[in-house]
Amino acid sequence: MERSFARRELLGTAAAVGATALLGPLAGSARAADGSAEGPWPTRFLLPNGFQPEGITIGRSPYAYLGSLGTGDVYRASLATGRGRIVSKGPGAGHSVAGLKIDRYERRLFLSGGFSREIRVADARSGDIVRNFPVGAANSMVNDVILTPGAAWFTDSFQPQLYRLPLDRRGEPDRAVETVPLGGEWEQGTDFTANGIERTPDGRALLVVNTVVEGGSLMRVDPRTATARRVDLGDLRIPFGDGLLLLGRHLYIVQQQRNQVDVVLLNDVGTRGTAIGRITDPERFRIPTTAAAFGGRIYLPNARFDVGPTPETEYDVVAVGQV
């Protein structure tokens, strides 16, 4: 993942962080999905030293799963206590987990393999890798993933294409991965371009971060034709856009090197959005990359791309309140 780290460090030195926090860190108890108090769950918990997190996913149960860029390990942490353990052993150096999602049955983890150009599927209970699909070309990077009722979709940060892994009615992969070239208004840069991926509020299209178009934009992609159109976000630009999280019509856009999360209210079809807030936390944000939600909170892993990773480097996950 050295190329990814190097680019992000360069981007970080160029970013001017001057945003005022419109929304502060969560101060009180977590809230359950039904609005009841969950008690004083931690708003920060540590990961193993040297873990190198980037992706995070949370299902219906109060557990966060995080992937390691260094080894491809998957770590599961209890949101109630902050304690956790490695639940899936990765293939080792060069076989990272950049993004990951747990399915609605909490049975499978879909893993983006970064520069290893692998899409892996792990059993969420045993941790075993049950499927491994090689994809892409020599300069491909499988970065992020989103699940839809019929497929798992993955971004490629260095090629103008997505990957579609078809799923059967039980959520099992049932065919080979399809490479889907992007068209329309998609522009591919000479370097890192596509990043986070989500669905539109109506579920009919995909949303993909493009770091090149108009200085950093959100693109709406028709899954039937792969035609991309820029989402109108007004004056908001997302050159450091990373993970996307959709809650209702609220889209949380993690701008990692800027240490901020921009919050956008989308229309149902995902063609237009209005910036309604920004979450910053100078004391606790250390280049957060992705986001997942549970019980009124947003959880973000700090990737710390501004420091060289070592076996002793400290990594953590922090929680903030939802808008």
Side-chain angles (χ1 to χ4, degrees):
M1 299 297 293
E2 288 82 0
R3 285 179 288 176
S4 179
F5 293 146
R7 180 185 180 276
R8 286 167 176 166
E9 289 169 12
L10 287 172
L11 289 177
T13 59
V17 183
T20 301
L22 301 184
L23 298 164
L26 190 68
S29 301
R31 305 294 296 181
D34 62 2
S36 61
E38 282 286 354
W41 288 6
T43 57
R44 175 181 181 263
F45 55 84
L46 293 174
L47 300 174
N49 283 356
F51 185 75
Q52 296 179 244
E54 182 167 10
I56 185 172
T57 184
I58 301 172
R60 293 175 297 177
S61 302
Y63 295 94
Y65 295 80
L66 298 110
S68 169
L69 290 173
T71 62
D73 289 350
V74 176
Y75 182 86
R76 189 181 82 159
S78 165
L79 302 181
T81 66
R83 295 189 293 270
R85 63 184 179 90
I86 301 293
V87 294
S88 180
K89 193 67 178 172
H95 297 269
S96 62
V97 171
L100 72 168
K101 286 290 184 294
I102 192 166
D103 68 7
R104 60 178 177 171
Y105 308 104
E106 298 189 323
R107 296 174 186 167
R108 304 169 196 85
L109 289 161
F110 293 81
L111 313 175
S112 303
F115 286 117
S116 70
R117 297 185 288 114
E118 297 168 330
I119 289 171
R120 300 190 290 273
V121 182
D123 186 302
R125 297 168 185 173
S126 69
D128 295 338
I129 303 297
V130 295
R131 301 292 295 272
N132 193 338
F133 301 91
V135 297
N139 194 32
S140 291
M141 177 192 173
V142 188
N143 192 333
D144 206 356
V145 54
I146 189 65
L147 302 180
T148 68
W153 291 84
F154 299 79
T155 56
D156 186 330
S157 292
F158 285 86
Q159 301 292 334
Q161 60 197 24
L162 302 176
Y163 302 110
R164 181 180 183 271
L165 174 58
L167 306 176
D168 65 19
R169 292 182 179 180
R170 298 173 299 169
E172 291 274 6
D174 67 345
R175 294 197 302 277
V177 176
E178 304 166 2
T179 299
V180 182
L182 290 163
E185 297 177 358
W186 187 268
E187 294 179 21
Q188 185 68 27
T190 57
D191 198 351
F192 190 102
T193 302
N195 207 327
I197 185 170
E198 250 292 359
R199 298 173 69 190
T200 56
D202 64 4
R204 295 177 179 270
L206 303 170
L207 299 170
V208 181
V209 171
N210 183 302
T211 63
V212 173
V213 172
E214 297 290 331
S217 297
L218 188 66
M219 309 295 289
R220 182 186 186 275
V221 178
D222 185 327
R224 297 167 300 174
T225 65
T227 300
R229 295 284 182 264
R230 187 171 72 88
V231 179
D232 181 2
L233 298 181
D235 294 332
L236 179 64
R237 296 293 178 266
I238 52 171
F240 305 99
D242 199 328
L244 301 176
L245 172 66
L246 183 70
L247 299 176
R249 292 198 294 125
H250 289 75
L251 182 69
Y252 295 77
I253 305 171
V254 184
Q255 293 223 58
Q256 32 121 315
Q257 295 284 358
R258 285 183 170 169
N259 284 310
Q260 68 190 41
V261 181
D262 286 295
V263 188
V264 172
L265 182 64
L266 293 171
N267 61 1
D268 285 338
V269 295
T271 58
R272 185 175 65 256
T274 302
I276 61 171
R278 175 170 292 160
I279 304 172
T280 64
D281 192 335
E283 294 184 359
R284 297 191 305 151
F285 281 6
R286 296 186 292 177
I287 308 188
T289 44
T290 53
F294 190 87
R297 289 180 172 184
I298 306 294
Y299 290 85
L300 306 106
N302 280 313
R304 304 195 67 190
F305 289 140
D306 57 338
V307 301
T310 73
E312 290 74 40
T313 303
E314 179 189 278
Y315 294 99
D316 63 356
V317 176
V318 297
V320 296
Q322 296 179 19
V323 173

